[in-house]
Amino acid sequence: MTWETIPPGVWVIFGVVGLPVYATFLGWFLGKPRNIKTTALGATLFLALTTALWFGLFSTTMVIRLIFF
């Protein structure tokens, strides 16, 4: 079975799950009153947590690969 359009999982992840993240970022950068310090802190924290998540998942994947394959 091939997908002629975008698979439903992509819509769920980027649309439903990502919607609060998109709204938060828009609020930080477009909301009033603007506070650059809070915006920078939030964006940096979000980037740090995302990086930690990806690195942790990658490390776990490599450990599982070494042990089982």
Side-chain angles (χ1 to χ4, degrees), residues 9-64:
V10 174
W11 289 108
V12 170
I13 289 180
F14 288 109
V16 177
V17 176
L19 187 63
V21 176
Y22 304 146
T24 302
F25 269 93
L26 286 175
W28 282 338
F29 289 102
L30 301 177
K32 291 182 182 179
R34 291 189 182 132
N35 187 347
I36 297 299
K37 187 176 180 181
T38 303
T39 301
L41 179 64
T44 303
L45 180 62
F46 178 75
L47 182 64
L49 290 173
T50 304
T51 303
L53 176 70
W54 277 92
F55 181 73
L57 289 172
F58 177 76
S59 300
T60 304
T61 303
M62 290 300 108
V63 168
I64 290 171

